[in-house]
Amino acid sequence: MHFVRIDNRLVHGQVIETWLPHTRARMIAVVNDELAGNMLRQEIMSLAIPDGVEIVFLPVAKVTAFFSGSARRDMDALILFSSCADARAAYESGYGFNCLNLGNLHYAAGKKQVCPHVALSKDDEACLYFFVQNGVKIDYRCVPGDSELPRAF
């Protein structure tokens, strides 16, 4: 099973200490065009990964092909996107998922804070609306023990 999360921090303590054990993922796929081309940042981020867990860095355009084989499609994996736009681009390229966890989207000017860890721009809201219209459940939990929040846009 793939657990798909948007978190603009990508790999960090909450992911390693809570989501990784919760999902029992043996692979973390960081899907981000900038990071996929930056070996130094990949090496630094990889230092946080526990033994026995594989980490891969993929450009958004390659996530569908990477998980197209049955072995990778059926494995327990944690898929991390840094933005709604990247998750939508992957979805529209054929990487399907039924649930999307919104872990963290930082506040910035022009964004609306919808819960303590998620601030949405108009583009983010349109993106999430796209997912809802396509039957994707939006999960607003920051960590696995949080209560599920109602739809916030």
Side-chain angles (χ1 to χ4, degrees):
M1 180 184 100
H2 292 183
F3 184 84
V4 181
R5 176 179 173 92
I6 296 173
D7 189 326
N8 54 1
R9 300 168 296 175
L10 295 169
V11 176
H12 60 90
Q14 288 175 347
V15 169
I16 299 302
E17 295 297 325
T18 64
W19 287 108
L20 196 55
H22 179 75
T23 61
R24 299 181 184 169
R26 306 310 314 153
M27 173 186 277
I28 297 174
V30 178
V31 184
N32 179 273
D33 290 342
E34 181 184 336
L35 206 51
N38 188 323
M39 295 300 293
L40 179 60
R41 286 188 62 206
Q42 290 179 24
E43 287 185 32
I44 293 168
M45 206 169 274
S46 297
L47 294 172
I49 305 304
D51 289 341
V53 176
E54 180 182 3
I55 186 165
V56 295
F57 298 90
L58 304 167
V60 174
K62 293 195 175 179
V63 68
T64 301
F66 183 80
F67 285 110
S68 66
S70 62
R72 287 183 180 151
R73 185 179 52 241
D74 298 335
M75 73 182 315
D76 290 331
L78 181 55
I79 315 301
L80 299 173
F81 293 97
S82 65
S83 70
C84 289
D86 283 355
R88 181 175 176 169
Y91 188 90
E92 290 182 320
S93 75
Y95 178 69
F97 44 88
N98 298 323
C99 184
L100 177 63
N101 172 255
L102 288 184
N104 194 69
L105 288 170
H106 286 304
Y107 180 81
K111 286 187 164 190
K112 179 173 66 176
Q113 194 79 41
V114 297
C115 64
H117 54 92
V118 175
L120 299 175
S121 67
K122 292 291 183 198
D123 288 343
D124 294 331
E125 289 179 356
C127 184
L128 294 178
Y129 184 74
F130 164 83
F131 283 121
V132 169
Q133 292 301 304
N134 282 281
V136 176
K137 178 184 175 192
I138 308 298
D139 170 18
Y140 287 89
R141 292 179 300 156
C142 190
V143 292
D146 286 350
S147 299
E148 289 194 36
L149 298 172
R151 187 172 148 182
F153 63 98

